[in-house]
Coordinates of all heavy atoms in Angstrom, one line a residue:
F67 N 5.3 11.2 3.7 CA 5.9 12.2 2.9 C 4.9 12.7 1.8 O 4.8 13.9 1.5 CB 7.1 11.6 2.2 CG 7.8 12.5 1.2 CD1 8.6 13.5 1.7 CD2 7.6 12.4 -0.2 CE1 9.2 14.4 0.8 CE2 8.2 13.2 -1.1 CZ 9.1 14.2 -0.6
I68 N 4.1 11.8 1.3 CA 3.1 12.2 0.3 C 2.0 12.9 1.0 O 1.4 13.9 0.5 CB 2.5 10.9 -0.4 CG1 3.6 10.2 -1.1 CG2 1.4 11.3 -1.4 CD1 4.3 11.0 -2.2
R69 N 1.6 12.5 2.2 CA 0.6 13.3 3.0 C 1.0 14.7 3.2 O 0.2 15.6 3.0 CB 0.3 12.6 4.3 CG -0.8 13.3 5.1 CD -0.7 13.0 6.6 NE 0.6 13.5 7.2 CZ 0.9 14.8 7.5 NH1 0.0 15.7 7.2 NH2 2.0 15.1 8.0
Q70 N 2.3 14.9 3.5 CA 2.8 16.2 3.7 C 2.7 17.1 2.4 O 2.5 18.3 2.4 CB 4.2 16.2 4.2 CG 4.4 15.6 5.6 CD 5.8 15.5 6.1 OE1 6.6 16.4 5.8 NE2 6.2 14.4 6.7
K71 N 2.9 16.4 1.3 CA 2.8 17.1 0.0 C 1.4 17.6 -0.2 O 1.1 18.7 -0.8 CB 3.2 16.2 -1.2 CG 4.7 16.0 -1.4 CD 5.0 15.4 -2.7 CE 6.5 15.4 -3.0 NZ 6.8 15.0 -4.4
L72 N 0.4 16.8 0.3 CA -1.0 17.2 0.2 C -1.3 18.4 1.1 O -2.3 19.2 0.9 CB -1.9 16.1 0.5 CG -1.8 14.8 -0.4 CD1 -2.8 13.8 0.2 CD2 -2.2 15.2 -1.8
G73 N -0.6 18.5 2.2 CA -0.8 19.6 3.1 C -2.0 19.5 4.0 O -2.6 20.5 4.3
V74 N -2.4 18.2 4.3 CA -3.6 18.0 5.1 C -3.3 17.0 6.2 O -2.4 16.1 6.0 CB -4.8 17.5 4.2 CG1 -5.2 18.6 3.3 CG2 -4.3 16.3 3.4
E75 N -4.0 17.0 7.3 CA -3.9 16.1 8.3 C -5.0 15.0 8.1 O -6.2 15.2 8.3 CB -4.1 16.7 9.7 CG -3.0 17.6 10.1 CD -1.7 16.8 10.5 OE1 -1.9 15.6 10.9 OE2 -0.6 17.4 10.3
I76 N -4.6 13.8 7.6 CA -5.6 12.8 7.3 C -5.0 11.4 7.8 O -3.8 11.3 8.0 CB -5.8 12.7 5.8 CG1 -4.5 12.5 5.0 CG2 -6.6 14.0 5.3 CD1 -4.7 12.4 3.5
P77 N -5.9 10.4 7.9 CA -5.4 9.1 8.3 C -4.5 8.5 7.2 O -4.7 8.7 6.0 CB -6.7 8.3 8.4 CG -7.8 9.3 8.7 CD -7.4 10.5 7.9
V78 N -3.6 7.7 7.7 CA -2.6 7.0 6.8 C -2.6 5.6 7.1 O -2.3 5.2 8.3 CB -1.2 7.6 6.8 CG1 -0.3 6.8 5.9 CG2 -1.2 9.1 6.4
V79 N -2.9 4.7 6.2 CA -2.8 3.3 6.4 C -1.5 2.9 5.6 O -1.4 3.2 4.4 CB -4.0 2.5 5.8 CG1 -3.8 1.0 5.9 CG2 -5.2 2.9 6.6
C80 N -0.6 2.2 6.2 CA 0.7 1.9 5.5 C 1.0 0.4 5.7 O 0.3 -0.3 6.4 CB 1.8 2.8 5.9 SG 2.0 3.0 7.7
Y81 N 2.1 0.0 5.1 CA 2.5 -1.5 5.2 C 1.3 -2.4 4.8 O 1.1 -3.4 5.5 CB 3.0 -1.8 6.6 CG 4.4 -1.2 6.9 CD1 4.5 -0.3 8.0 CD2 5.5 -1.5 6.2 CE1 5.7 0.3 8.4 CE2 6.8 -0.9 6.6 CZ 6.8 -0.1 7.6 OH 8.0 0.5 8.0
N82 N 0.6 -2.0 3.8 CA -0.6 -2.8 3.4 C -1.6 -3.1 4.5 O -2.3 -4.1 4.5 CB -0.1 -4.1 2.8 CG 0.5 -3.9 1.4 OD1 -0.1 -3.3 0.5 ND2 1.7 -4.5 1.3
G83 N -1.7 -2.2 5.4 CA -2.7 -2.3 6.5 C -2.1 -2.7 7.9 O -2.8 -2.7 8.9
A84 N -0.8 -2.9 7.9 CA -0.1 -3.4 9.1 C 0.1 -2.2 10.1 O 0.5 -2.5 11.3 CB 1.2 -4.1 8.9
K85 N 0.0 -1.0 9.6 CA 0.2 0.2 10.5 C -0.9 1.2 10.1 O -1.0 1.5 8.9 CB 1.6 0.8 10.4 CG 1.9 1.9 11.4 CD 3.3 2.4 11.2 CE 3.6 3.6 12.1 NZ 3.9 3.1 13.5
V86 N -1.6 1.7 11.0 CA -2.6 2.7 10.8 C -2.4 3.9 11.7 O -2.3 3.7 12.9 CB -4.0 2.2 11.0 CG1 -5.1 3.2 10.7 CG2 -4.3 0.9 10.1
V87 N -2.3 5.1 11.1 CA -2.1 6.3 11.9 C -3.2 7.3 11.6 O -3.5 7.6 10.5 CB -0.7 7.0 11.5 CG1 -0.5 8.3 12.3 CG2 0.4 6.1 11.7
I88 N -3.9 7.6 12.7 CA -5.1 8.5 12.6 C -4.7 9.8 13.5 O -4.5 9.7 14.6 CB -6.4 7.9 13.2 CG1 -6.6 6.6 12.3 CG2 -7.5 8.8 13.1 CD1 -7.8 5.7 12.9
P89 N -4.7 11.0 12.8 CA -4.3 12.2 13.5 C -4.9 12.4 14.9 O -4.2 12.9 15.8 CB -4.6 13.3 12.5 CG -4.6 12.6 11.2 CD -5.1 11.2 11.4
S90 N -6.2 12.1 15.1 CA -6.8 12.5 16.3 C -6.6 11.4 17.4 O -7.2 11.6 18.5 CB -8.3 12.6 16.1 OG -8.9 11.5 15.5
I91 N -5.9 10.4 17.1 CA -5.6 9.4 18.1 C -4.1 9.5 18.5 O -3.2 9.6 17.6 CB -5.9 8.0 17.6 CG1 -7.4 7.9 17.3 CG2 -5.5 6.9 18.6 CD1 -7.8 6.5 16.7
D92 N -3.8 9.4 19.8 CA -2.4 9.6 20.3 C -1.5 8.3 20.2 O -0.4 8.3 20.7 CB -2.4 10.2 21.7 CG -3.0 9.2 22.7 OD1 -3.4 8.1 22.3 OD2 -3.1 9.6 23.9
H93 N -2.0 7.3 19.5 CA -1.2 6.1 19.2 C -1.6 5.5 17.9 O -2.7 5.8 17.4 CB -1.4 5.1 20.3 CG -2.7 4.4 20.3 ND1 -3.8 5.0 20.9 CD2 -3.1 3.2 19.8 CE1 -4.9 4.2 20.8 NE2 -4.5 3.1 20.1
D94 N -0.7 4.7 17.3 CA -1.1 4.1 16.0 C -1.4 2.6 16.3 O -1.2 2.1 17.3 CB 0.1 4.3 15.0 CG 1.4 3.7 15.5 OD1 1.4 2.4 15.7 OD2 2.3 4.4 15.7
F95 N -2.0 2.0 15.3 CA -2.3 0.6 15.3 C -1.3 -0.1 14.5 O -1.3 0.0 13.3 CB -3.7 0.4 14.8 CG -4.8 1.1 15.5 CD1 -5.2 2.4 15.1 CD2 -5.5 0.6 16.6 CE1 -6.2 3.1 15.8 CE2 -6.4 1.2 17.3 CZ -6.8 2.5 16.9
T96 N -0.4 -0.9 15.1 CA 0.7 -1.6 14.4 C 0.6 -3.1 14.7 O 0.5 -3.5 15.9 CB 2.0 -1.0 14.8 OG1 2.1 0.4 14.5 CG2 3.1 -1.7 14.1
T97 N 0.7 -3.9 13.7 CA 0.8 -5.3 13.8 C 2.1 -5.8 13.0 O 2.3 -5.3 11.9 CB -0.4 -6.0 13.2 OG1 -1.6 -5.5 13.8 CG2 -0.3 -7.5 13.4
K98 N 2.9 -6.6 13.6 CA 4.1 -7.1 13.0 C 4.1 -8.6 12.8 O 3.4 -9.3 13.4 CB 5.3 -6.7 13.8 CG 5.6 -5.2 13.9 CD 6.9 -4.8 14.6 CE 7.2 -3.3 14.5 NZ 8.5 -3.0 15.2
I99 N 5.0 -9.0 11.9 CA 5.2 -10.4 11.6 C 6.1 -11.0 12.7 O 7.2 -10.4 12.9 CB 5.9 -10.7 10.3 CG1 5.1 -10.1 9.1 CG2 6.1 -12.2 10.0 CD1 5.8 -10.1 7.8
P100 N 5.7 -12.0 13.5 CA 6.6 -12.5 14.5 C 7.9 -13.0 13.9 O 8.0 -13.5 12.8 CB 5.8 -13.7 15.1 CG 4.4 -13.4 14.7 CD 4.4 -12.7 13.4
L101 N 9.0 -12.8 14.6 CA 10.3 -13.1 14.1 C 10.5 -14.5 13.6 O 11.1 -14.7 12.5 CB 11.4 -12.9 15.2 CG 12.8 -13.2 14.8 CD1 13.3 -12.4 13.6 CD2 13.8 -12.9 16.0

Side-chain angles (χ1 to χ4, degrees):
F67 178 77
I68 300 301
R69 182 203 61 77
Q70 291 177 44
K71 283 193 171 188
L72 298 177
V74 292
E75 290 289 333
I76 57 176
V78 176
V79 177
C80 47
Y81 291 118
N82 287 308
K85 185 181 180 76
V86 180
V87 179
I88 302 173
S90 58
I91 297 178
D92 61 4
H93 69 279
D94 59 65
F95 301 90
T96 300
T97 306
K98 291 186 176 183
I99 305 172
L101 178 58

